[in-house]
Amino acid sequence: MSTHQLTFSQLFSLAAAESRGAWKRLVFFIICIAVGVGAVMTVKSFSNLLKDAIQNESKGLLAADIEIKGSWEQSEKDLAFQKNALPAESAFQFLKELHAMARYPDADNPKGNSSLLIELKSVPTLPPLYPIYGTLKIKPPQPLEKLLAEGGAVVGPSFLWRTHLEVGDTFMLGKEKVRINGTVISEPDRISRAFSIGPRVFVSMATLDAADLIHPGSRVKNRTLIRLPDSIPLEKALVILERGLTDKSVSIRTYKDMESSLTNSIERMGQYLGAVGVIALLMGGIGVAMIVRIFMVQKLDTIAVLNCLGASSRTILKVYLLQSLILGILGSLLGVGLGFTLQYLLPAKLVGLLDIVLEPRFYPMAAFQSLTLGVLITLLFCLWPLTRAAKTKPLRLFRRNFEEEKFSMGSLRDRWLLGILSLAGGMLIIFWQAGSVKRGSLFLIALGVSIFILVATSILALKIIKKIPPPKNITRRYGLANLYRPSNQATSIITCLGMGIMLVLTVRLVQMDMLAMFKENTEIKPPNYFFIDIQSDQTETFLALVDKVAPEAERTLTPLIRSRLYSAEDRLASEWQYKDRRREEWFINREFVITHSSGPLPKDNTIIKGKWWNREEASVAQVSLEEDAAQRLGVDIGNKIIIDIQGIHVTAPVTSIRKVNWRNMRTNFYMIFSPGALEGAPMTFVSTVHVPPDKELPLQHAVVEALPNITALSTRDIVATVESVVSKLKTLVDFMSVFTISLGLIILSGSIASTKFRRMKESAVLKVLGARRRAVMEVLGIEYAALGMVASVVGIGLSGVLSWAVMEYLVKAGWNLRPGVMVGALAFAVILTTMTGLLSSLDVLREKPFKTLRKLDA
């Protein structure tokens, strides 16, 4: 039997014959590949789904072709310019967005009224009507301008839920009584509700003016939406506006910028989730290699017979490689189907995070790539055990009882060749998935280090267990001894389970630390409220209200002035030379909210260079910069900064540079000026107040009732918003991480099924010697519990190290040891592993001993 004598159909027949009667074992081969391919297919399909949804709604996501956004209304000069410079058919729409307080009747409040922070959006009621592009979904489905007429409002469903009001009821917005005429289900230019601090409320421009909420210095986002005719290209219109508008503080973006920004975010998310998918696929490859190795061990006698009949090693390799390839294709096809099906589950994980309608669809390219990856992983991980098994010598037939499970080692040259081929193949797959050599290299290093630590730690743990004096209880002793049985695959199982546990628990620990960063502050007490947009003539009234409702409250009152950078040490912001425009331009052209102080250095600020002024020196113009701002502006002590405050230039030398703790939940600034520099500048005030919990709502209601233009931001609402977003993202990551945990358990089940012959033999011998079924189950349970314990300890330990590294070097925040969570994860993982092992061993427990021994003798 030589290679050239066998046709493909003959090779296929031999491969099918070798699979006959072994499907119960080989089904784990298929499942391992299916789960790994399913993970990759899920990520690729979902990323494509999001990108397509964004491209289809690209104009709707901005509700315009071009948006001009700024903190102030555009000047008459700029408005006239853009209307004259753009074609006459262009349409312009002006919107205002701000936070405000709604006052509404509340039966539970003794004073009869309560207040609620809302996100207010005022839109025009004359053409062009909002939205220019996209769809605004309202209930009842009537024209928006009709619902907003004569003091009407359209509110988000959460507004009705939180206020217990209904359509037709009224509430106070500033000085205006507003009637609820409908609810808004979704708006086109709001892709995410993730960071909403309060319910959404729509009113007309006339209603906003009547409410008298906007005063000089108020925080308002002014948006100009522009619809262009087909007669002018989008890029040309963008250049005209960028060059011609005199207010350089505004940001100008097109719907393509919006699409590009969102697509980049999706790609970054896809890269992270894709890394989890590749890990799952590689873990599946380990399972395949383990199953193939054990399967080939049971075929060594058959291979020896084929050798005696004249089959060459190459022929035998072709037969079993074809068999593995067929199984890999079946598993990959199953995985593609699994990934497509999961598209119907993932959008539910993003409810409340994205306002995009996602309709699942089949992506042929994603399916092809996932299928190709599955086949490559199959070949990569099967090649080593198949090559070694194919070199089995005919002499084995005469001494198989002495080398029952030994592969041929092969030549040194063959081992080096296979090693280099496997490494190159793995790198090729990782680089292909990463999309770049740099990202692929980083991922490869991180993965290699993690696997090395997992393997090394598991080997060390098993050696420690072996060194421990054996228990007196025979079932425990036998169960622990099973960890060292030939072909036990304990290290592979521990590696896969440990990897899954490490991924899921790391995400959980980082999530908890992130939330703790917002909820707790060990250095100072965070305030309960931020009261913003306090006018200069309202400060005395505001402080009197605080003293009346909560005289014991800690409070600060800080002046705020909105400004733009004009120049830094003779370098004009308008002519700034950027080294990396994408990273630097936003900071140079941003709106700087500045303050002045004549008192001591603010809390959580540390002077690292220069000197803070005293009260006598505060009359002289000078500025203190935060260290990052000083670095970005390229200035040092003695250099001059010029800022633009509504067209007036203010000059001050830098006299100190500060380090700021930005996580202290207080008002922090890039620039703090001396009072002498900002004398006469228009300003508003912000106040932070720390009151007992029982005084929070009374204080909010009292301030809003007396000064309706002031907005109260609760730190509790901010923390709740962050917690909701982190929870949604954590759910999404957990959804993908389950693939690796599943593969670890599947590999555990596959290992048990593949060694069922030996387990049945051992079980039969134990039963003949008098062991009851319960004792045999205890032996197996102890073995699986030990595997779960070692995998959990290693995975949990690594998750602690990884979560610490993420918080310390990426988030740069405090890390907390959470023994309760780790112990809970340990118990859950051990129980899950033990139950999986026992359920997979039911046949071993049920088999009658004499029936098993007869099979062995036959």
Side-chain angles (χ1 to χ4, degrees), residues 72-84 94 244-247:
W72 299 284
E73 290 186 2
Q74 292 194 74
S75 65
E76 293 295 333
K77 182 179 179 181
D78 279 346
L79 288 174
F81 165 76
Q82 60 200 32
K83 289 182 178 180
N84 292 329
F94 304 97
L245 292 179
T246 58
D247 185 358

mmCIF file of all heavy atoms in Angstrom, residues 72-84 94 244-247:
data_model
loop_
_atom_site.group_PDB
_atom_site.id
_atom_site.type_symbol
_atom_site.label_atom_id
_atom_site.label_comp_id
_atom_site.label_asym_id
_atom_site.label_seq_id
_atom_site.Cartn_x
_atom_site.Cartn_y
_atom_site.Cartn_z
ATOM 1 N N TRP A 72 -21.432 79.544 22.789
ATOM 2 C CA TRP A 72 -22.155 80.793 22.632
ATOM 3 C C TRP A 72 -22.906 80.774 21.304
ATOM 4 O O TRP A 72 -22.563 80.029 20.381
ATOM 5 C CB TRP A 72 -21.189 81.979 22.640
ATOM 6 C CG TRP A 72 -20.417 82.113 23.900
ATOM 7 C CD1 TRP A 72 -20.872 82.587 25.096
ATOM 8 C CD2 TRP A 72 -19.041 81.774 24.107
ATOM 9 N NE1 TRP A 72 -19.878 82.570 26.038
ATOM 10 C CE2 TRP A 72 -18.727 82.062 25.470
ATOM 11 C CE3 TRP A 72 -18.037 81.241 23.318
ATOM 12 C CZ2 TRP A 72 -17.476 81.856 26.026
ATOM 13 C CZ3 TRP A 72 -16.779 81.028 23.859
ATOM 14 C CH2 TRP A 72 -16.511 81.336 25.201
ATOM 15 N N GLU A 73 -23.914 81.619 21.219
ATOM 16 C CA GLU A 73 -24.601 81.781 19.942
ATOM 17 C C GLU A 73 -23.634 82.397 18.931
ATOM 18 O O GLU A 73 -22.770 83.196 19.297
ATOM 19 C CB GLU A 73 -25.823 82.688 20.102
ATOM 20 C CG GLU A 73 -26.952 82.051 20.886
ATOM 21 C CD GLU A 73 -28.181 82.943 20.886
ATOM 22 O OE1 GLU A 73 -28.145 84.024 20.240
ATOM 23 O OE2 GLU A 73 -29.173 82.574 21.524
ATOM 24 N N GLN A 74 -23.800 82.019 17.679
ATOM 25 C CA GLN A 74 -22.939 82.586 16.648
ATOM 26 C C GLN A 74 -23.224 84.081 16.478
ATOM 27 O O GLN A 74 -24.360 84.536 16.639
ATOM 28 C CB GLN A 74 -23.161 81.865 15.318
ATOM 29 C CG GLN A 74 -22.675 80.421 15.324
ATOM 30 C CD GLN A 74 -22.602 79.867 13.914
ATOM 31 O OE1 GLN A 74 -21.705 80.212 13.138
ATOM 32 N NE2 GLN A 74 -23.555 79.011 13.582
ATOM 33 N N SER A 75 -22.186 84.803 16.132
ATOM 34 C CA SER A 75 -22.338 86.248 15.923
ATOM 35 C C SER A 75 -23.111 86.518 14.630
ATOM 36 O O SER A 75 -23.197 85.662 13.747
ATOM 37 C CB SER A 75 -20.960 86.909 15.841
ATOM 38 O OG SER A 75 -20.252 86.449 14.689
ATOM 39 N N GLU A 76 -23.680 87.713 14.546
ATOM 40 C CA GLU A 76 -24.417 88.093 13.333
ATOM 41 C C GLU A 76 -23.508 88.050 12.108
ATOM 42 O O GLU A 76 -23.939 87.689 11.002
ATOM 43 C CB GLU A 76 -25.004 89.505 13.509
ATOM 44 C CG GLU A 76 -26.083 89.609 14.566
ATOM 45 C CD GLU A 76 -27.324 88.809 14.185
ATOM 46 O OE1 GLU A 76 -27.562 88.624 12.966
ATOM 47 O OE2 GLU A 76 -28.054 88.366 15.091
ATOM 48 N N LYS A 77 -22.238 88.385 12.322
ATOM 49 C CA LYS A 77 -21.282 88.385 11.208
ATOM 50 C C LYS A 77 -21.078 86.969 10.671
ATOM 51 O O LYS A 77 -21.087 86.748 9.451
ATOM 52 C CB LYS A 77 -19.956 88.975 11.674
ATOM 53 C CG LYS A 77 -18.897 89.058 10.580
ATOM 54 C CD LYS A 77 -17.618 89.683 11.120
ATOM 55 C CE LYS A 77 -16.544 89.750 10.016
ATOM 56 N NZ LYS A 77 -15.280 90.344 10.532
ATOM 57 N N ASP A 78 -20.917 85.999 11.567
ATOM 58 C CA ASP A 78 -20.706 84.614 11.134
ATOM 59 C C ASP A 78 -21.973 84.026 10.522
ATOM 60 O O ASP A 78 -21.906 83.261 9.541
ATOM 61 C CB ASP A 78 -20.252 83.750 12.321
ATOM 62 C CG ASP A 78 -18.767 83.894 12.605
ATOM 63 O OD1 ASP A 78 -18.059 84.438 11.741
ATOM 64 O OD2 ASP A 78 -18.303 83.445 13.680
ATOM 65 N N LEU A 79 -23.121 84.386 11.074
ATOM 66 C CA LEU A 79 -24.385 83.889 10.505
ATOM 67 C C LEU A 79 -24.571 84.415 9.088
ATOM 68 O O LEU A 79 -24.959 83.673 8.181
ATOM 69 C CB LEU A 79 -25.559 84.315 11.387
ATOM 70 C CG LEU A 79 -25.693 83.611 12.746
ATOM 71 C CD1 LEU A 79 -26.812 84.240 13.565
ATOM 72 C CD2 LEU A 79 -25.953 82.125 12.556
ATOM 73 N N ALA A 80 -24.273 85.682 8.905
ATOM 74 C CA ALA A 80 -24.409 86.271 7.562
ATOM 75 C C ALA A 80 -23.418 85.642 6.594
ATOM 76 O O ALA A 80 -23.752 85.373 5.430
ATOM 77 C CB ALA A 80 -24.195 87.784 7.652
ATOM 78 N N PHE A 81 -22.193 85.383 7.070
ATOM 79 C CA PHE A 81 -21.178 84.787 6.198
ATOM 80 C C PHE A 81 -21.610 83.418 5.697
ATOM 81 O O PHE A 81 -21.554 83.141 4.484
ATOM 82 C CB PHE A 81 -19.846 84.660 6.942
ATOM 83 C CG PHE A 81 -18.875 83.746 6.253
ATOM 84 C CD1 PHE A 81 -18.182 84.175 5.120
ATOM 85 C CD2 PHE A 81 -18.678 82.435 6.701
ATOM 86 C CE1 PHE A 81 -17.305 83.324 4.460
ATOM 87 C CE2 PHE A 81 -17.813 81.588 6.038
ATOM 88 C CZ PHE A 81 -17.121 82.022 4.918
ATOM 89 N N GLN A 82 -22.026 82.547 6.603
ATOM 90 C CA GLN A 82 -22.321 81.189 6.164
ATOM 91 C C GLN A 82 -23.559 81.136 5.265
ATOM 92 O O GLN A 82 -23.648 80.300 4.355
ATOM 93 C CB GLN A 82 -22.473 80.245 7.365
ATOM 94 C CG GLN A 82 -23.573 80.605 8.341
ATOM 95 C CD GLN A 82 -23.368 79.958 9.702
ATOM 96 O OE1 GLN A 82 -22.251 79.754 10.136
ATOM 97 N NE2 GLN A 82 -24.465 79.648 10.386
ATOM 98 N N LYS A 83 -24.494 82.047 5.477
ATOM 99 C CA LYS A 83 -25.671 82.058 4.604
ATOM 100 C C LYS A 83 -25.330 82.597 3.216
ATOM 101 O O LYS A 83 -25.926 82.181 2.221
ATOM 102 C CB LYS A 83 -26.787 82.891 5.243
ATOM 103 C CG LYS A 83 -27.401 82.211 6.463
ATOM 104 C CD LYS A 83 -28.538 83.029 7.065
ATOM 105 C CE LYS A 83 -29.152 82.295 8.251
ATOM 106 N NZ LYS A 83 -30.268 83.047 8.880
ATOM 107 N N ASN A 84 -24.363 83.522 3.143
ATOM 108 C CA ASN A 84 -23.946 84.068 1.845
ATOM 109 C C ASN A 84 -22.959 83.160 1.126
ATOM 110 O O ASN A 84 -22.967 83.061 -0.103
ATOM 111 C CB ASN A 84 -23.323 85.453 2.029
ATOM 112 C CG ASN A 84 -24.336 86.481 2.478
ATOM 113 O OD1 ASN A 84 -25.510 86.382 2.129
ATOM 114 N ND2 ASN A 84 -23.907 87.466 3.266
ATOM 115 N N PHE A 94 -31.311 75.978 14.182
ATOM 116 C CA PHE A 94 -30.590 76.354 15.394
ATOM 117 C C PHE A 94 -31.223 75.676 16.610
ATOM 118 O O PHE A 94 -32.430 75.835 16.859
ATOM 119 C CB PHE A 94 -30.596 77.883 15.557
ATOM 120 C CG PHE A 94 -30.042 78.604 14.368
ATOM 121 C CD1 PHE A 94 -30.883 79.113 13.395
ATOM 122 C CD2 PHE A 94 -28.659 78.742 14.202
ATOM 123 C CE1 PHE A 94 -30.374 79.759 12.275
ATOM 124 C CE2 PHE A 94 -28.147 79.384 13.095
ATOM 125 C CZ PHE A 94 -28.996 79.893 12.134
ATOM 126 N N GLY A 244 -13.756 80.688 6.821
ATOM 127 C CA GLY A 244 -14.473 81.961 6.848
ATOM 128 C C GLY A 244 -15.053 82.359 8.185
ATOM 129 O O GLY A 244 -15.239 83.562 8.433
ATOM 130 N N LEU A 245 -15.347 81.403 9.076
ATOM 131 C CA LEU A 245 -15.948 81.771 10.357
ATOM 132 C C LEU A 245 -14.924 82.463 11.242
ATOM 133 O O LEU A 245 -13.791 82.000 11.382
ATOM 134 C CB LEU A 245 -16.497 80.521 11.063
ATOM 135 C CG LEU A 245 -17.712 79.843 10.407
ATOM 136 C CD1 LEU A 245 -18.123 78.608 11.190
ATOM 137 C CD2 LEU A 245 -18.885 80.809 10.287
ATOM 138 N N THR A 246 -15.321 83.552 11.840
ATOM 139 C CA THR A 246 -14.386 84.315 12.680
ATOM 140 C C THR A 246 -14.229 83.700 14.070
ATOM 141 O O THR A 246 -13.193 83.873 14.702
ATOM 142 C CB THR A 246 -14.877 85.760 12.830
ATOM 143 O OG1 THR A 246 -16.193 85.751 13.410
ATOM 144 C CG2 THR A 246 -14.936 86.457 11.469
ATOM 145 N N ASP A 247 -15.258 82.994 14.546
ATOM 146 C CA ASP A 247 -15.197 82.362 15.870
ATOM 147 C C ASP A 247 -14.511 81.005 15.731
ATOM 148 O O ASP A 247 -15.120 80.019 15.313
ATOM 149 C CB ASP A 247 -16.609 82.191 16.448
ATOM 150 C CG ASP A 247 -16.581 81.660 17.871
ATOM 151 O OD1 ASP A 247 -15.473 81.394 18.384
ATOM 152 O OD2 ASP A 247 -17.662 81.488 18.469
#
